[in-house]
Amino acid sequence: MNMNLSVLGINFRTAPIELREQASFVAADVGVALGRLCAEFPGSEAVLLSTCNRTELYTAGIDVEAKQTALIRMLLKGNGSTDLSEATRHFYTKKDLTVAEHLLAVVSGLDSMVVGETEILGQVKQAYMLAEQAQALGKALDPLFQNAFRIAKRIHTETDLCRGRVSVSSIAVEFAEKVFEDLGSKTVMIVGAGETAELSLKSLIERGAKEVLVLNRSLERALSLAERYGGRAIPYDLLDDYLPRADIVISSTSAPHCVIREATVRKAVAVRRGLPLLLIDIAVPRDIEPAAGELANVYLYDIDDLQRVAAENLAKRQESVEEARKIIREGAAEVACMFESADLREMMRRLDEFGQEVSDTVLQRMLAKEKMAALSDEAREEVRAIAQKVVAKLLAGPRESLKRAARNGQWAEYANVVSDLFRFNDRPGADRDNSEAKNDKDSRKRQ
Amino acid sequence: MLLEASLAASGIGLFCVASVFSVACLLCRNPPGRGELGVSLLLALGCVPLVAVLLLRSANTGRVPLFSTFDALTVYGVFLTIAALCFLTRHRTQGVFAILSPYVTIILIAGFPAVGVETGPVPHTVSNVVLLSHMIIAFAGYALFSLASILAFAYLIQNRNFKHRNFGVVFERLPALETLDDLMFRLVGFAFLLLTISLMLGVYLVHQSGSGAEWAADPKVVATFVTWALYAGLVHMRANAGRHGTRLALVTFIGLAFVLFSMIGVHMVAHSVHGFVQIGVAAK
């Protein structure tokens, strides 16, 4: 692979949040940074991915190892307060094929903090679009990212890596959607004010929940929460009166006893005339009497139920990790093949040029001799044609071998041998190609 | 006869494939993308040879094909499938086809042995247009009641999944409870209207034939009125009393037994004045 692909970045595993904050880019800044980078390294390509868990700069045509300090400074936005050598310690660099593998792991959610999360796919797509707008994409990164999206989709559909929710709040929302589907006409009641309950409430509001009722022993806290989410604070002792109005109840008080009795729920169900009532109890000790869950049309889940589902989904995701890795390996090999076919075309072009050059040089010398001066133009043309045929015959063998090697995955070895035999590396302008070929070879050896 | 049997067999074959595919889509961890669309297409394709065989029988006998077990079950199966394709594909009811397809397939297989049965003469004292309307509207009503029962069955499965904490693939694929509840009662309301119209046309036909007492005691008439009363109660519970939930879903599901009995079962256990509707191979 002669594209000189590389990635330089930090993520939640390698860097503390303080450093990640400094290397964080909003969408508007990404275009500016890419524009500056492409101006500094003409002919290069770049994609800048910035999320709360990672900042990564994917490049092609830039010697990242040589320019590492400058690039890190750019990623840290020239922040003078940061110790650059200390910051550098947290950055990682990957080159050539390992870039493809890394990108595939990132885009499929395999490298995420919560394995299998799908938000990252949208974030990478946004980074790709920003790079496209900044005209920072070319023949290396464009196909690389397109292939990454395709392979990520394959992982999502063929494995369980992204299936099932894994947080308590998202499972509560999933249950709500499985009971009601359309939350647009539903009333959510929140009893107490735990963090998870608030997260669930937030998700339900994002999905369009119509009305929010907030009950808390402290009316002040109830008012504050209600104000934040556009709900109504209800005095705590009116719980029984308001329960029939609620379709979804999320309870997370710190009360040492049940605050919602079975009898209360029974009355509410009677008033609701069989409309389903979803009760999510995430308090320990439990807030809702377990017997309430036995009532018809009442669906009661406690923290253990939700955590069990989360654990099962997470286990399913973990089971799929190896499967996903296999698809990533296959995907990386496909990407390598794609780049190798580009390399193959380039090598063929150089062989043709070499053949043409040899025949032209020899013919020029030969036809310049005195004894050849008597040759007619027709005869000269014939000699020239014969010389070209001889060269073509001589090169047919190497060309065929190179094509076969590319098909059999032995491209790197054959390409190096042919380059040595025909001295492509000693020719002018070969220095850059030489170092890339070496990197390519090294990277393949690592594979 | 051979052509009719071949067409019917090919239609049933397509329904069998649709059944296997729809159940696989419900139960497989990684179902094929657009699996539901594939099932819908298979069911629609399956209806084509079945409609063709009904038209063929109509051409051969010179009257509408509704008077034998094969005709009745095939018309019912086709109506039910068309109703499902019209209603279910417009809502998020993925997974319900896995219940509907095997049910319709069993109905069609049950009718297949009677594919060549000739039916007796239809009383000519009745107006054919009114009789035809009476029967077709009744079959359409039965099909919609049955579709509501299938949705009720899905509701009961989903309710059980919630109560027993079975959050596997079936839970994931079946629709939300509220969606099922809502669709179920829209279908029941519509079907109840059709059955009422059909009964009124039936009363008109009896009045025309001038043999009221004989028809009033007819087992099929009694069974149909019982079915009508059951659904009247159901519609009242929902529309007037505002009831929802598991119990109503259970009654809707049980309603299927009443529908099947009044449509076809009553002919197997009792002599009916509707005797011109020939039942089973034995009637040949």
Side-chain angles (χ1 to χ4, degrees):
Chain A
M1 205 185 319
N2 292 328
M3 303 292 181
N4 204 5
L5 285 177
S6 57
V7 57
L8 172 72
I10 47 171
N11 65 25
F12 62 93
R13 287 196 199 92
T14 67
I17 190 160
E18 292 79 14
L19 189 62
R20 297 205 310 272
E21 277 169 355
Q22 287 173 34
S24 168
F25 287 77
V26 292
D29 295 345
V30 170
V32 178
L34 290 177
R36 202 173 298 152
L37 192 78
C38 290
E40 199 172 326
F41 301 98
S44 65
E45 300 171 42
V47 174
L48 179 55
L49 171 67
S50 179
T51 73
C52 53
N53 281 332
R54 67 180 68 240
T55 297
E56 289 178 342
L57 179 67
Y58 293 85
T59 58
I62 300 176
D63 186 349
V64 168
E65 276 166 3
K67 306 285 178 190
Q68 192 181 36
T69 311
L71 291 172
I72 290 175
R73 192 173 289 130
M74 184 212 89
L75 288 176
L76 296 173
K77 291 172 269 188
N79 197 326
S81 63
T82 311
D83 178 353
L84 206 59
S85 61
E86 168 60 20
T88 305
R89 217 165 46 81
H90 296 284
F91 276 81
Y92 48 83
T93 312
K94 293 177 193 294
K95 296 198 77 182
D96 301 320
L97 254 191
T98 52
V99 176
E101 280 194 9
H102 176 75
L103 176 62
L104 290 175
V106 168
V107 82
S108 62
L110 199 62
D111 199 45
S112 297
M113 189 182 269
V114 178
V115 174
E117 59 104 356
T118 50
E119 206 183 337
I120 186 71
L121 177 58
Q123 289 166 328
V124 177
K125 277 184 178 170
Q126 198 200 1
Y128 170 82
M129 281 193 295
L130 289 171
E132 198 175 32
Q133 282 163 15
Q135 296 180 329
L137 289 176
K139 63 178 180 177
L141 290 186
D142 192 12
L144 175 68
F145 275 75
Q146 293 283 4
N147 272 284
F149 299 142
R150 182 179 57 80
I151 291 158
K153 195 177 169 192
R154 195 183 145 199
I155 290 171
H156 290 183
T157 50
E158 289 181 21
T159 73
D160 284 343
L161 191 72
C162 307
R163 197 155 291 163
R165 313 216 174 158
V166 291
S167 75
V168 166
S169 59
S170 63
I171 290 165
V173 173
E174 186 185 13
F175 283 178
E177 284 177 330
K178 269 294 176 192
V179 175
F180 301 109
E181 185 168 340
D182 175 24
L183 300 176
S185 59
K186 300 294 166 267
T187 299
V188 184
M189 176 185 275
I190 181 159
V191 185
E195 190 190 342
T196 314
E198 201 176 324
L199 275 175
S200 306
L201 175 67
K202 201 175 161 192
S203 303
L204 288 168
I205 290 169
E206 279 168 6
R207 280 165 177 76
K210 186 189 76 174
E211 191 183 12
V212 177
L213 305 174
V214 184
L215 284 93
N216 200 297
R217 286 229 179 259
S218 151
L219 191 61
E220 202 177 304
R221 289 189 70 183
L223 278 166
S224 148
L225 194 62
E227 198 180 339
R228 246 180 296 153
Y229 295 102
R232 279 177 62 194
I234 307 290
Y236 195 77
D237 48 356
L238 294 181
L239 173 69
D240 291 11
D241 299 338
Y242 276 86
L243 191 61
R245 270 181 72 162
D247 299 294
I248 303 158
V249 178
I250 304 166
S251 187
S252 69
T253 73
S254 52
H257 52 76
C258 288
V259 295
I260 302 177
R261 300 269 171 207
E262 188 256 2
T264 313
V265 179
R266 188 185 290 277
K267 275 185 211 158
V269 168
V271 175
R272 292 173 62 78
R273 294 168 184 266
L275 276 173
L277 175 61
L278 178 65
L279 304 174
I280 304 287
D281 183 357
I282 39 188
V284 179
R286 284 177 290 182
D287 280 344
I288 306 172
E289 213 166 47
E294 304 296 320
L295 297 170
N297 306 311
V298 174
Y299 305 100
L300 167 63
Y301 300 98
D302 61 31
I303 187 76
D304 273 6
D305 293 324
L306 301 177
Q307 278 176 346
R308 198 176 306 122
V309 175
E312 279 171 12
N313 287 343
L314 203 58
K316 275 184 206 156
R317 286 187 179 192
Q318 290 297 345
E319 279 170 25
S320 303
V321 164
E322 203 37 57
E323 219 177 325
R325 282 198 199 288
K326 195 177 155 222
I327 295 175
I328 285 175
R329 280 195 293 272
E330 286 170 13
E334 280 173 34
V335 171
C337 270
M338 180 187 74
F339 284 124
E340 277 171 3
S341 61
D343 287 354
L344 180 65
R345 281 197 297 276
E346 174 64 13
M347 182 68 85
M348 294 300 177
R349 190 188 60 77
R350 293 176 82 175
L351 274 174
D352 288 344
E353 272 179 9
F354 173 77
Q356 189 70 40
E357 201 179 306
V358 169
S359 72
D360 284 354
T361 315
V362 173
L363 276 173
Q364 208 173 2
R365 276 194 210 138
M366 191 186 79
L367 295 174
K369 288 181 182 170
E370 227 172 273
K371 55 187 173 186
M372 295 290 190
L375 279 179
S376 66
D377 286 350
E378 217 171 271
R380 279 168 187 263
E381 274 309 308
E382 204 160 317
V383 170
R384 201 181 301 276
I386 290 168
Q388 279 172 357
K389 274 183 189 165
V390 169
V391 170
K393 278 267 180 202
L394 277 172
L395 293 179
R399 285 172 74 103
E400 195 48 49
S401 299
L402 280 170
K403 283 182 189 169
R404 198 172 48 243
R407 279 197 301 272
N408 297 340
Q410 297 166 307
W411 164 254
E413 290 80 358
Y414 274 68
N416 279 319
V417 169
V418 169
S419 294
D420 279 349
L421 285 174
F422 291 95
R423 297 184 177 177
F424 288 155
N425 299 338
D426 301 340
R427 295 154 74 78
D431 290 349
R432 190 175 145 265
D433 293 344
N434 191 25
S435 75
E436 284 168 5
K438 188 174 173 295
N439 289 337
D440 198 23
K441 190 179 172 184
D442 291 347
S443 106
R444 283 198 182 88
K445 274 183 183 168
R446 282 197 295 275
Q447 300 302 308
Chain B
M1 163 65 189
L2 186 65
L3 181 60
E4 287 175 11
S6 310
L7 281 171
S10 61
I12 294 170
L14 282 166
F15 271 81
C16 288
V17 176
S19 302
V20 172
F21 192 47
S22 59
V23 172
C25 283
L26 180 72
L27 300 178
C28 284
R29 208 177 240 201
N30 297 312
R34 295 175 172 260
E36 289 280 323
L37 183 67
V39 173
S40 305
L41 281 174
L42 280 169
L43 291 175
L45 281 175
C47 286
V48 174
L50 294 174
V51 171
V53 77
L54 290 171
L55 291 174
L56 204 61
R57 281 176 70 76
S58 176
N60 288 342
T61 58
R63 61 170 183 247
V64 283
L66 281 169
F67 297 98
S68 77
T69 308
F70 172 78
D71 294 345
L73 292 181
T74 305
V75 167
Y76 168 69
V78 168
F79 273 19
L80 179 51
T81 308
I82 291 170
L85 291 173
C86 292
F87 275 91
L88 301 189
T89 47
R90 281 160 56 189
H91 299 88
R92 290 179 65 187
T93 51
Q94 68 279 26
V96 177
F97 278 110
I99 305 166
L100 175 113
S101 311
Y103 172 74
V104 178
T105 307
I106 291 167
I107 290 287
L108 293 173
I109 290 171
F112 186 70
V115 68
V117 173
E118 295 303 325
T119 55
V122 179
H124 46 264
T125 49
V126 294
S127 156
N128 276 334
V129 176
V130 178
L131 176 66
L132 185 65
S133 308
H134 163 68
M135 293 184 81
I136 287 180
I137 293 171
F139 271 96
Y142 287 148
L144 294 184
F145 278 136
S146 305
L147 186 54
S149 299
I150 286 165
L151 292 173
F153 187 55
Y155 186 102
L156 295 171
I157 294 174
Q158 197 66 312
N159 178 65
R160 191 182 152 80
N161 285 335
F162 266 115
K163 289 287 185 186
H164 289 76
R165 286 148 174 76
N166 295 329
F167 303 121
V169 282
V170 176
F171 171 78
E172 213 176 281
R173 307 263 157 79
L174 283 180
L177 289 174
E178 198 183 38
T179 308
L180 290 167
D181 184 73
D182 188 40
L183 266 180
M184 210 161 41
F185 284 97
R186 267 199 267 170
L187 286 168
V188 166
F190 197 33
F192 180 71
L193 183 70
L194 292 178
L195 188 63
T196 307
I197 294 170
S198 175
L199 286 178
M200 284 161 71
L201 289 173
V203 170
Y204 172 73
L205 286 168
V206 169
H207 177 70
Q208 267 204 332
S209 70
S211 52
E214 193 188 354
W215 283 89
D218 180 53
K220 187 173 176 83
V221 173
V222 173
T224 308
F225 268 104
V226 170
T227 306
W228 183 87
L230 172 87
Y231 282 106
L234 203 60
V235 169
H236 165 74
M237 292 291 279
R238 177 60 180 251
N240 299 327
R243 289 274 162 193
H244 296 260
T246 318
R247 278 184 203 154
L248 258 66
L250 192 61
V251 176
T252 311
F253 176 59
I254 291 168
L256 182 63
F258 284 77
V259 165
L260 288 177
F261 183 74
S262 59
M263 183 177 69
I264 209 101
V266 72
H267 296 284
M268 294 174 176
V269 296
H271 174 74
S272 168
V273 186
H274 283 81
F276 55 84
V277 180
Q278 302 290 308
I279 294 302
V281 182
K284 196 169 183 176

